[in-house]
Amino acid sequence: MKILVTAKRVTDPDSKIQLKPDRSGINLDNVDFKMNPFCEIAVEAALQLVDAAGDGETVVVAIGDSDATKEIRTAMAMGCDRGILVEADEAQLDSDAVARVLAAICVKEKPDVVLLGKQAIDGDSNQVGQLLAEYLGWPQATFAYKIALNGTSGATVQREVDGGVETISLSFPAVITTDLRLNEPRYASLPGIMKAKKKPLEETTASALGVDLSLKVESIGFEPPPARKAGVKVKTVDELIEKLAGEAKVI
Amino acid sequence: MATILVLAEQHGGKLTRATLSAVTAARQLAQIVGGGFDIALAGTGLDAVAAALTPYGAGAVHQLEHEALAGYTAQAYAQAFASAAKATGAQYVVAAATSNGKDTTPRVAARLGAGMASDVVALSAHGGGVAYKRPMWAGNVLGHVKINTAVQVVTVRPTEFPVAEASGGASPIQKSAASVDAGSLRMKYVGLDKVESSRPELTDASVVISGGRGLKEASNFKLVEKLADTLGGAVGASRAVVDAGWVPNDWQVGQTGKVVAPKLYVAVGISGAIQHLAGMKGSKTIVAINKDAEAPIFQVADYGLVSDLFGVMPELTEKLASRKG
Ligand SMILES: Cc1cc2nc3c(=O)[nH]c(=O)nc-3n(C[C@H](O)[C@H](O)[C@H](O)COP(=O)(O)OP(=O)(O)OC[C@H]3O[C@@H](n4cnc5c(N)ncnc54)[C@H](O)[C@@H]3O)c2cc1C
Ligand SMILES: Nc1ncnc2c1ncn2[C@@H]1O[C@H](COP(=O)(O)O)[C@@H](O)[C@H]1O
């Protein structure tokens, strides 16, 4: 079984993200970067699926500037076999461009499964997996919570949806996007990190893949979210009830 | 004349309230770009839902049925909706950012060669077209985007667009076979393990009581549920307790869970990580109960009670219950 998995480089989910004072973009001073948490879950899922299938290959892809090599190496240290970096300026990407780049790679690599995160925690778009699946004409299971292989030809996937957990079955090749409860990603081991340094990493570009990067969705500005002022501390339950009934009128 | 198409969502012949938020967004869009909107409804056995959609001022309600739509799958529904968008000549396609909306709508956009903006919270005029405002980085930044393609697809965040009121009149229902290529479908709906609850929907409730890791163990979550039931509210949770398996997945409030904006949100034993705040800081009144005075949740709380929840929750529930008599 061959799996393609993504590793997007994003701002650390624990950093406090703020606009630059002139609102022209995000202030990235003192912000750390790491692999998108949903991609870590996708990498773990890819490794587990190959294990479950008995054999196979996992190829990790990142689209971004050369720093994204770090996330590819991290995925290889976790166990992915090889990597592909598609060099592109992050500011010149939208979810659609990423999906079309990935589609071009799928045409070349012919994976059985593509595993992605359900969303990137910077842009919060939640689109790439679905767009990719449609461009390829493949089935999809978004928001995966549990994946059970049906032999090597398909899978039954439980999905986190409004109102509960939905089960679908699909046949490969297919796209699966991960939700938080799918697994707990492993840490890269020291030997893993050493091995990753020697694993093959191919560098390419969108134009080499024949993908036009003109943006369908373009940023035209930013604003800070409306500020919520911290309210008051109440000392007792009675005082809280009095505030809720009198001042806030919500009970 | 711009044509807008709303993608309606139904489950087993029941319309979702979120669809009526998408209708409100379509009405706003029509104000900006002119023209009117149609509604597309896909599935099987849709007569009642189609009828329920007629009093909202749509030019037409397109009732698209096909046996391949009997169970929901993104592949089949995207085909049906994209064909409807082409057939109506829609320039704008609007759906609610529910789990189904998020699942299908990008596929519709791909089929239409359209750019898509997700989880939009506001629409405005921009150089003859539309600017879409959407939260990014867990709501720490609001981005404005424009879409450069002729057809534009958006999902809208239901909490930011009130449920549409019926405007009277009766839109004509146009019933036709949905355009689905059954042979191309390689996915099948198997079933839904539904979280049965007599409480209001988390995303519609006017009161939400949420619990976090401060509750210490699963059995203590009933302190949260009792308060919710006393106030007729819904129950939410932080990621930490959902991951721990104390409560169902779909109770998670936050950046990667549900977004709620009730009149009253009570966070019990929740620290207030940015990912959690992203899902609730649009609430009208926020109450935090936490024993750590430095917990970030207090930075957004209108009323903070720095106290041990195990002492406070029974007292609060009891006193509210006796107020109601
Ligand atoms: C990719 C990603 C996505 C995420 N998405 C979400 C999301 O959608 N929603 C979400 O909620 N989180 C999300 N998180 C997780 C988030 O970062 C936090 O880890 C989580 O919200 C913490 O949950 P908590 O507040 O219950 O637990 P904690 O942070 O452990 O807080 C527990 C609180 O309880 C208080 N407490 C303890 N005992 C008592 C007591 N006896 N009485 C009163 N107070 C007490 C403590 O002071 C503390 O403030 C996400 C994280 C990542 C990386
Ligand atoms: N630049 C990128 N490189 C690699 N994977 C990406 C990139 N952007 C998005 N993805 C993948 O697509 C998923 C959904 O992203 P989005 O639709 O942008 O929220 C992410 O979780 C990643 O798995």
Side-chain angles (χ1 to χ4, degrees), chain A residues 13-14 36-38 121 180, chain B residues 211-216 237-241 252-258 268-277 289-292 295-297 307-310:
Chain A
D14 294 332
N36 178 34
F38 289 100
I121 55 116
L180 293 169
Chain B
R213 187 150 36 201
L215 286 150
K216 298 276 184 306
S238 71
R239 175 192 172 180
V241 308
Q252 180 181 312
V253 170
Q255 176 193 19
T256 61
K258 292 222 166 96
V268 183
I270 291 178
S271 60
I274 49 173
Q275 292 89 358
H276 188 80
L277 302 185
I289 299 172
N290 195 305
K291 68 176 181 191
D292 173 10
I297 191 76
S307 192
D308 187 308
L309 71 89
F310 294 102

Side-chain angles (χ1 to χ4, degrees), chain B residues 12-32:
Chain B
K14 253 193 86 194
L15 187 69
T16 62
R17 275 168 65 88
T19 299
L20 298 178
S21 292
V23 166
T24 296
R27 287 176 177 168
Q28 291 181 12
L29 208 48
Q31 291 286 318
I32 296 170

Side-chain angles (χ1 to χ4, degrees), chain A residues 6-8 36 38-39 61-63 90 93 95 98 116-120 124-128:
Chain A
T6 53
K8 185 179 186 186
N36 178 34
F38 289 100
C39 291
V61 185
I63 302 151
E90 172 74 21
L93 289 174
S95 295
V98 171
L116 311 90
K118 80 165 177 181
Q119 78 195 65
D124 284 335
S125 283
N126 198 329
Q127 290 187 18
V128 172

Side-chain angles (χ1 to χ4, degrees), chain A residues 43-56:
Chain A
V43 168
E44 178 64 38
L47 298 170
Q48 288 185 12
L49 281 184
V50 165
D51 268 355
D55 76 321

Side-chain angles (χ1 to χ4, degrees), chain A residues 129-145:
Chain A
Q130 298 88 315
L131 291 168
L132 173 65
E134 189 60 50
Y135 284 133
L136 295 167
W138 291 2
Q140 76 186 32
T142 54
F143 325 145
Y145 168 61

